[in-house]
Amino acid sequence: ALAPAEASVANGAAASTTPTDAAPVTDPNSTSTSTFAYGTQRKFVPLEKPIPASEDGAASSTKRRLPLIVIASLIDKTPNLAGLCRTCEVFNCEAVCLANQKIIKDQTFQSISVTAEKWLPVKEVPKAALKSYLSELRSRGYQIVGIEQTHNSVIMDKWTYSGNTAILLGAEKEGIDADLLPWLDACVEIPQAGQIRSLNVHVSGSLAVWEYTRQFRAILDAAAAANAA
């Protein structure tokens, strides 16, 4: 039987992880700026020839993806799923997980994703398989972070992401199911000051992906500066 996470998230503490497939963001010595492509593209000046997701395993080291998996299995609305897919591709995430992979064939999806599903690995993880998948990710050294407001959630700009991270997004309106919360290493919330009490889930996911990318870039840049010194 699978057991929920026992990690404490009090005061922002998360379970320690031992990444396997990708260098952790907390270890600059094992990561170099030549290893990752992290948002340095310019319009009309492509980094290099795009590599389809089906051929991703043969990608060169310069196209290594950021070790960030975005889990959108609880999300139902096609525009949100398509927008997240586009965001994850833009930031070169490792993969995005959807409850039903057939959605990427939908015309509405494709009109919003603008071919992102062709270049980004898309994994099918049904809602019923989420706990098993989260357990698998943890065994592979991933830190599981939910974007959700709870009694002990950490403000996003106060949270330090692990190198290998999986972000779980909640359903529209309901958020993350209560029975999934014990399986997370932490919950991170986005500070809000207006009258509306929540952001669209695609927007929340995009902010979380950018914050992870920002932290990752900062450590890569620090490592490059140290190596150049």
Side-chain angles (χ1 to χ4, degrees):
L2 296 172
E6 297 178 353
S8 170
V9 295
N11 300 318
S16 61
T17 57
T18 307
T20 55
D21 297 333
V25 69
T26 51
D27 184 4
N29 294 325
S30 61
T31 306
S32 68
T33 53
S34 64
T35 302
F36 294 89
Y38 57 82
T40 56
Q41 62 138 317
R42 295 292 185 272
K43 290 182 178 179
F44 315 116
V45 186
L47 277 171
E48 58 185 67
K49 183 180 179 180
I51 301 173
S54 60
E55 302 173 16
D56 199 56
S60 66
S61 61
T62 58
K63 287 293 293 181
R64 183 179 176 189
R65 296 183 179 279
L66 297 185
L68 176 65
I69 296 174
V70 176
I71 306 172
S73 300
L74 297 175
I75 299 172
D76 294 320
K77 294 184 179 179
T78 300
N80 290 331
L81 294 170
L84 281 167
C85 187
R86 181 172 177 173
T87 295
C88 291
E89 198 288 321
V90 165
F91 290 105
N92 205 34
C93 294
E94 181 177 332
V96 64
C97 301
L98 310 179
N100 188 339
Q101 201 171 25
K102 292 180 180 179
I103 192 67
I104 67 176
K105 303 296 184 182
D106 182 86
Q107 288 187 346
T108 300
F109 183 100
Q110 293 181 352
S111 69
I112 298 171
S113 69
V114 291
T115 76
E117 67 278 4
K118 293 184 179 181
W119 319 114
L120 172 74
V122 178
K123 300 182 179 181
E124 182 169 304
V125 181
K127 296 178 184 179
L130 262 177
K131 291 179 181 178
S132 177
Y133 183 62
L134 295 178
S135 180
E136 175 196 337
L137 287 176
R138 180 172 290 106
S139 70
R140 290 165 52 194
Y142 282 79
Q143 181 187 72
I144 315 299
V145 178
I147 307 303
E148 182 66 272
Q149 187 178 71
T150 66
H151 69 280
N152 61 356
S153 53
V154 182
I155 299 298
M156 182 172 287
D157 59 357
K158 304 298 183 184
W159 177 257
T160 300
Y161 282 105
S162 172
N164 287 10
T165 293
I167 291 175
L168 176 64
L169 299 171
E172 295 92 346
K173 295 184 180 180
E174 292 84 5
I176 297 177
D177 297 347
D179 66 336
L180 289 174
L181 295 179
W183 296 77
L184 307 179
D185 292 314
C187 281
V188 172
E189 67 173 276
I190 299 168
Q192 302 168 62
Q195 294 300 310
I196 299 175
R197 297 178 63 86
S198 64
L199 288 165
N200 172 275
V201 67
H202 167 216
V203 175
S204 297
S206 297
L207 289 172
V209 169
W210 166 244
E211 178 59 21
Y212 172 93
T213 305
R214 185 193 66 78
Q215 292 184 23
F216 204 102
R217 289 181 58 152
I219 288 187
L220 293 182
D221 289 344
N227 292 335

